[in-house]
Amino acid sequence: MTESLNADAQSGGAPRCPLRDGAVPLYEHAGAASTGELWEELRARFGRVAPVLLEPDLPAWLLLGYEENLHVLRDRATYSRDTRRWNEIRDGRRVLGDGLRPTMAYRASALYADGAEHARLIAPINDALSRLSDARIKAEAADVADRLIDDFCEHGRADLIGDYAMMLPAMLMNRFFGLEDAYGYVLGELSAGIWLDDGARAAESAAQMRNYFGGLVQRKRVAPGDDVTSWMMAPEFGMSDAEMADQLVLLVGAAHLPTANLIGNVLRALLAEPVTAREFASGALPLGDAVNHVIWTEPPLQMLAARFPTRDVVVGGTPVAEGEPLIIGFAPAHTDPKLGRPSGAGGSALESGGNSAHLMWGAGEHRCPARSLAERVVELGVRRLLDRLPRLRAAVPADELTWAPALFSRGLVELPVLFDPVEAPQREAPVPPPAAPAGPAAPERPDDLLTRLLRWWQGSGRNRRAAKG
Ligand code: HEM
């Protein structure tokens, strides 16, 4: 660890500046087996804010302290979420590489908007999320979870990441959007594909995702239903087709990977951390507290991109120039010694489990509008597996599990498990989305974007399962 920290990338020929001087190549630590030591070494060397490289010669400040992260998240007048303010990119000194594009490239969505524009774009999202009843969330999540488990429960083995955690949030969002499950399988695999190392495959997934959202908007304009997409299109919000597509991309981007990672990380803790497993099995650690424990120790997003000061500022004692990126550091903030929390992996989950003062749902203007929905889905998703699969256990030792080589998110590549096979129950066919209200009839669909997407997927060999629905 120390060796790689000392191997500072120097910006050959570029002018020296505080941000570049000694900046630590963070991208070399993506997917590290353990990150705790990294945060400690950065703290020991730089204090509360560290200069890091997100890509070779692409510097940013990483916020290490709990207070500093909270302050920057909350102070919307000084810190903008708009990535077009990033000085290196804005001034044409750098072009974003493919790896950072999904998180750092600007989109015209609520996530990258400030002030009045943010309020305008988040309004339909908040309205739609508030219209999803508790009963509907629980019923749909349980049904999606059961159908995914049916696919592997007779085999006695599964990969709980690819077969389950990655699919559950995508299938569920697809239902909330008002589409049949066939498209949920496509969405799940395309959305996971965007984060793949394979650049060509990631670009293809991104292109096909555009067809998914374009097709979804097209269908719901003609035949609205009782679903999130149609509610967001209500005339009072005045959203254009392009704006709708951008907000839907935000919803899937925000909902899919963090939820999938959190389900996977909780399952890892319950199956591969002996102390947590024991405390949970004894009843001393409720599932909700196990989720909190995981958020403190292996948060599904270890960092978040980014905030940009609208003027020169001093953060945690470090001068930061206008337009320099500040990366929100959830994982370093959660291990900030100032919090006085017990450090080190492998300890009891009881204390951290009862403490929900973590930063995982954000703060201020952009805080997560779907916190309670996400918590319910994660708990229900984990509980369903534990209830349905007898003698569920890890199939490999904990030190053979590998973390995805991602900079910002934190999730396993695979979680192979064994269990006693059980028969899959006979189920009724999935309930189709509610019928459209009276109005213009839906068009013949053979050539709409969604139908073409489904045909492409079915014929592309991408689908690991036969399309259902
Ligand atoms: C474990 C799961 C989740 C975690 C950890 C999480 C965390 C977060 C965080 C930290 C933010 C703040 C982003 C920022 O400040 O820049 C955020 C924003 C957001 N989240 Fe979540 N989220 C999760 C699940 C979901 C789900 C399931 C949905 C949708 C159904 C969702 C929708 C959103 C949206 C729309 C925003 C943008 C809010 C804005 O810009 O005003 N999230 N989320």
Side-chain angles (χ1 to χ4, degrees):
M1 180 73 65
T2 308
E3 196 181 306
S4 79
L5 276 183
N6 286 337
D8 299 339
Q10 299 296 325
S11 52
R16 310 290 297 177
C17 74
L19 182 49
R20 280 193 155 76
D21 266 356
V24 172
L26 208 55
Y27 55 88
E28 288 179 1
H29 300 272
S34 145
T35 51
E37 285 170 64
L38 172 63
W39 314 132
E40 289 326 306
E41 292 203 36
L42 289 175
R43 245 190 281 276
R45 189 158 153 201
F46 300 104
R48 316 286 298 164
V49 180
V52 295
L53 296 175
L54 301 177
E55 289 178 346
D57 199 30
L58 188 61
W61 297 107
L62 173 62
L63 299 171
L64 300 170
Y66 181 93
E67 271 171 38
E68 289 73 11
N69 275 287
L70 193 55
H71 165 73
V72 168
L73 284 169
R74 280 183 174 159
D75 183 352
R76 65 181 192 180
T78 312
Y79 302 99
S80 166
R81 186 65 173 86
D82 187 339
T83 50
R84 291 172 301 181
R85 287 179 176 268
W86 189 345
N87 56 3
E88 295 270 329
I89 312 293
R90 178 191 67 200
D91 303 343
R93 279 177 273 152
R94 266 299 300 254
V95 174
L96 267 187
D98 285 345
L100 284 179
R101 207 166 277 286
T103 37
M104 297 297 254
Y106 174 79
R107 288 196 86 100
S109 77
L111 187 62
Y112 299 110
D114 297 322
E117 181 64 353
H118 173 261
R120 183 180 79 82
L121 294 173
I122 200 71
I125 293 178
N126 283 337
D127 179 75
L129 291 175
S130 73
R131 292 172 72 168
L132 281 174
S133 70
D134 222 44
R136 178 160 170 188
I137 293 169
K138 282 191 189 137
E140 297 274 29
D143 189 55
V144 168
D146 277 338
R147 287 171 192 276
L148 289 169
I149 296 169
D150 291 351
D151 282 350
F152 55 74
C153 67
E154 296 183 351
H155 304 163
R157 58 174 57 240
D159 161 25
L160 293 186
I161 303 301
D163 294 335
Y164 190 71
M166 276 295 190
M167 297 307 293
L168 175 58
M171 299 282 295
L172 193 56
M173 289 309 289
N174 177 74
R175 283 199 185 180
F176 291 156
F177 288 158
L179 290 179
E180 300 86 342
D181 278 354
Y183 298 104
Y185 286 94
V186 185
L187 180 63
E189 294 190 8
L190 288 179
S191 177
I194 283 184
W195 303 95
L196 292 175
D197 280 346
D198 174 346
R201 180 85 184 268
E204 185 186 42
S205 297
Q208 294 295 350
M209 286 273 276
R210 281 195 288 280
N211 289 334
Y212 174 93
F213 292 110
L216 172 60
V217 171
Q218 209 177 54
R219 272 202 192 171
K220 295 294 168 180
R221 282 277 184 226
V222 179
D226 190 18
D227 53 60
V228 163
T229 320
S230 306
W231 296 329
M232 287 171 62
M233 281 176 171
E236 73 223 60
F237 298 120
M239 306 283 279
S240 68
D241 285 1
E243 285 176 334
M244 274 302 302
D246 278 325
Q247 311 322 302
L248 292 167
V249 170
L250 161 59
L251 273 174
V252 166
H256 183 222
L257 200 59
T259 311
N261 282 349
L262 187 53
I263 293 172
N265 295 357
V266 171
L267 289 166
R268 188 202 68 88
L270 297 180
L271 296 173
E273 285 179 8
V275 178
T276 311
R278 227 174 15 248
E279 289 173 345
F280 180 71
S282 74
L285 182 72
L287 183 53
D289 288 9
V291 173
N292 270 337
H293 162 70
V294 167
I295 285 177
W296 282 109
T297 51
E298 291 292 1
L301 298 170
Q302 51 184 355
M303 293 179 286
L304 181 70
R307 295 297 189 277
F308 304 90
T310 52
R311 56 180 168 80
D312 294 353
V313 290
V314 177
V315 190
T318 302
V320 175
E322 181 274 332
E324 288 180 347
L326 287 160
I327 304 296
I328 303 297
F330 293 122
H334 290 178
T335 52
D336 185 344
K338 270 192 170 181
L339 296 178
R341 294 189 54 255
S343 63
S348 168
L350 295 178
E351 190 185 326
S352 53
N355 178 352
S356 55
H358 51 70
L359 300 179
M360 197 66 260
W361 307 104
E365 190 178 34
H366 291 277
R367 71 190 170 281
C368 183
R371 171 181 180 165
S372 65
L373 185 158
E375 285 174 331
R376 264 172 291 169
V377 170
V378 168
E379 284 190 36
L380 192 143
V382 170
R383 175 72 65 197
R384 213 68 178 179
L385 271 179
L386 302 178
D387 287 349
R388 284 198 53 195
L389 302 177
R391 289 203 327 116
L392 180 64
R393 57 208 184 270
V396 298
D399 59 7
E400 286 180 23
L401 296 172
T402 50
W403 296 97
L407 194 55
F408 292 102
S409 75
R410 181 86 172 155
L412 293 173
V413 176
E414 287 183 342
L415 180 54
V417 292
L418 300 171
F419 48 87
D420 296 348
V422 283
E423 203 178 323
Q426 291 295 320
R427 286 190 201 281
E428 285 176 19
V431 183
E444 288 296 310
R445 292 184 176 175
D447 279 323
D448 79 357
L449 284 171
L450 283 173
T451 309
R452 285 213 298 270
L453 172 66
L454 195 55
R455 284 209 205 104
W456 164 82
W457 185 69
Q458 285 164 336
S460 69
R462 295 279 182 273
N463 49 331
R464 291 187 301 155
R465 301 166 184 80
K468 300 182 175 188

